[in-house]
Amino acid sequence: MCDTCGCNVTHGNRHLIAPGGKLSKIENGADAVSVLTGLLSENDHMAAHNREHFDRHGVLALNLMSSPGSGKTSLLESSLATLGKRFRIAVIEGDLETENDAKRIRAHGVDAIQIVTGTACHLDAHMVHKALHELNLDDIDILFIENVGNLVCPASFDLGQHRNITLLSVPEGDDKPSKYPVMFRAADLVLLTKVDLLPVLDDFSTQRAYDNVRALANPAPVIEFSSKQEERLADWVDWVDQQVEEHRQRRDQGETLRPKVQPDGMALHGLSL
Amino acid sequence: MHELSVCQALIDQVARVAREQRAARVSVIHVSVGPLSGIEPQLLEQAYPLAAAGSLAEDADLCIESAPIRVYCDQCDKESTATASRLVCADCGNWRTTLVSGDELLLTHVELFREQAHV
């Protein structure tokens, strides 16, 4: 067996699989060609390009993912005034239909680009790239990308973001991380939203939600938030501040920030973008 | 859901390999899809004929392999089998594990027929 990769190709038999060799043909006469690339490598390539673009212009890109209606737009609406004092902000909105969310953001005097995906259940790196042409990145410090409301598909597509934020609104139930492990494993921050409803939701346990995130081997902070309670704003804003600072430090070293789940996965398979 | 998008990306990659290899047609496509990749193998199979129609891979078989979910615990220095919603060490229950396999979404290899060389 080969010492490098565990395949069965050795010095002794390599000539057999070389072009024209006895074993280079499968029984039916076909040739086997090894590829070993990520299935979404074209998307990942575009995402890497987007990330370089963000880094060059000093923009921190944050990807917001959740079920429909768990409060992504409300989160932004309630924090734009505070974050807007120190940072120049823009928003990319992804929805199957309507310009409603972009209008809500623009009402706060913030630039918002609406991506209408039609039937697509997620944003991909190409859609985001196209939207970037409508923004002047030199005028932006933080770009929020509000993904299509969906706890499944958006988790599979890298957009070039620096961090993933997954929202879990308390009416959805504390077992959502266990039911949607791919999504919650990808989170760099889990925001429990609508916690002002906790007094009337006796079946939601914040401890269970926290334990279910940890069971996915995810060390991401879990922060409680409500757009109706101003005192809940501080923890979320502090987290954003930390990411801006971390991104600045990484860029000073000529590096970038990536959602924590991705480099592990890619490195495991010995792949690079 | 998004399996059709993934399948279209797969066919694009296979078509590129087929062109590079001067293939007349593709007979089998081998992919590795882990339970934590976010892709449902059955839906990928259903989307495949739609995405492959009219391509060099139109008549190819799609062969999907699935790697088990395994995690490494550095407290025990051991690997163990886990499930998608519980990626903790089977021995000590530590949740700070590293995923060893189970999130693959890879095109591993392609079986194809090359064009006959003109002599």
Side-chain angles (χ1 to χ4, degrees):
Chain A
M1 193 181 280
C2 159
D3 290 337
T4 312
C5 65
C7 72
N8 289 315
V9 180
T10 64
H11 294 299
N13 64 18
R14 190 178 300 275
H15 65 283
L16 295 174
I17 58 157
K22 261 188 190 168
L23 300 180
S24 69
K25 302 272 181 205
I26 294 164
E27 268 176 36
N28 61 5
D31 293 297
V33 178
S34 176
V35 188
L36 219 66
T37 53
L39 273 195
L40 292 170
S41 64
E42 200 181 320
N43 181 76
D44 294 344
H45 197 74
M46 187 84 246
H49 179 76
N50 289 348
R51 195 173 282 113
E52 278 170 24
H53 217 49
F54 294 139
D55 290 342
R56 206 166 37 246
H57 296 274
V59 176
L60 175 73
L62 300 174
N63 180 29
L64 296 168
M65 299 187 284
S66 77
S67 310
S70 56
K72 295 183 293 299
T73 314
S74 297
L75 167 75
L76 293 178
E77 284 182 303
S78 60
S79 41
L80 283 175
T82 306
L83 288 171
K85 280 180 195 152
R86 281 170 299 138
F87 304 114
R88 297 165 300 166
I89 294 172
V91 179
I92 290 177
E93 291 282 350
D95 279 296
L96 268 63
E97 275 302 336
T98 81
E99 185 116 349
N100 294 356
D101 286 356
K103 283 181 189 162
R104 282 170 63 183
I105 298 297
R106 286 179 201 134
H108 294 263
V110 169
D111 271 351
I113 308 298
Q114 180 78 48
I115 300 177
V116 178
T117 62
T119 54
C121 47
H122 57 271
L123 292 178
D124 66 28
H126 291 87
M127 295 181 203
V128 169
H129 183 80
K130 205 172 146 205
L132 292 184
H133 289 148
E134 296 178 46
L135 290 168
N136 184 356
L137 292 182
D138 284 328
D139 292 341
I140 301 169
D141 299 313
I142 302 176
L143 176 68
F144 287 103
I145 303 170
E146 188 182 324
N147 218 311
V148 178
N150 176 344
L151 276 181
V152 184
C153 316
S156 296
F157 293 85
D158 186 6
L159 309 175
Q161 74 275 24
H162 298 105
R163 289 287 184 245
N164 286 325
I165 301 160
T166 304
L167 282 70
L168 165 56
S169 68
V170 295
E172 294 173 65
D174 52 33
D175 60 348
K176 279 290 174 294
S178 308
K179 286 182 172 170
Y180 298 90
V182 178
M183 172 60 74
F184 284 90
R185 205 170 79 83
D188 296 298
L189 168 69
V190 175
L191 269 182
L192 299 181
T193 57
K194 307 190 186 181
V195 293
D196 54 297
L197 296 175
L198 279 176
V200 292
L201 294 169
D202 56 3
D203 52 350
F204 188 98
S205 152
T206 50
Q207 182 63 45
R208 273 201 302 268
Y210 176 91
D211 291 343
N212 289 336
V213 172
R214 292 293 173 262
L216 302 175
N218 187 346
V222 178
I223 293 178
E224 295 180 22
F225 182 82
S226 164
S227 57
K228 311 274 184 219
Q229 297 172 336
E230 223 181 312
E231 67 275 17
R232 298 279 187 184
L233 203 58
D235 287 348
W236 151 245
V237 169
D238 285 350
W239 183 86
V240 174
D241 278 343
Q242 283 168 24
Q243 310 315 307
V244 170
E245 180 55 23
E246 211 175 315
H247 185 227
R248 193 188 59 74
Q249 287 176 8
R250 295 291 281 269
R251 278 193 305 115
D252 286 349
Q253 295 163 3
E255 292 171 13
T256 187
L257 273 188
R258 285 162 168 278
K260 283 173 188 147
V261 71
Q262 289 172 13
D264 289 346
M266 296 303 274
L268 269 179
H269 306 297
L271 298 176
S272 57
L273 293 175
Chain B
M1 304 267 273
H2 58 309
E3 276 77 3
L4 185 59
S5 314
V6 172
C7 218
Q8 279 160 348
L10 167 66
I11 296 297
D12 287 347
Q13 285 202 52
V14 170
R16 180 179 50 77
V17 172
R19 274 196 308 274
E20 284 167 10
Q21 299 289 331
R22 297 180 181 279
R25 66 186 178 86
V26 176
S27 63
V28 188
I29 299 171
H30 294 265
V31 294
S32 177
V33 177
L36 280 171
S37 67
I39 299 298
E40 196 51 53
Q42 215 183 339
L43 295 179
L44 195 62
E45 269 171 14
Q46 286 171 8
Y48 179 75
L50 292 172
S55 76
L56 283 174
E58 187 163 13
D59 299 319
D61 290 327
L62 180 65
C63 180
I64 304 177
E65 293 148 34
S66 182
I69 299 177
R70 290 187 65 77
V71 295
Y72 170 75
C73 170
D74 59 4
Q75 275 180 25
C76 305
D77 189 24
K78 257 188 209 164
E79 269 185 41
S80 58
T81 304
T83 63
S85 61
R86 262 190 87 70
L87 299 168
V88 299
C89 173
D91 269 17
C92 73
N94 172 26
W95 62 263
R96 292 180 183 271
T97 59
T98 308
L99 193 74
V100 177
S101 70
D103 70 340
E104 299 78 7
L105 190 58
L106 294 173
L107 170 60
T108 54
H109 62 282
V110 176
E111 294 173 25
L112 44 79
F113 290 97
R114 291 206 171 85
E115 289 165 9
Q116 293 299 314
H118 298 287
V119 187

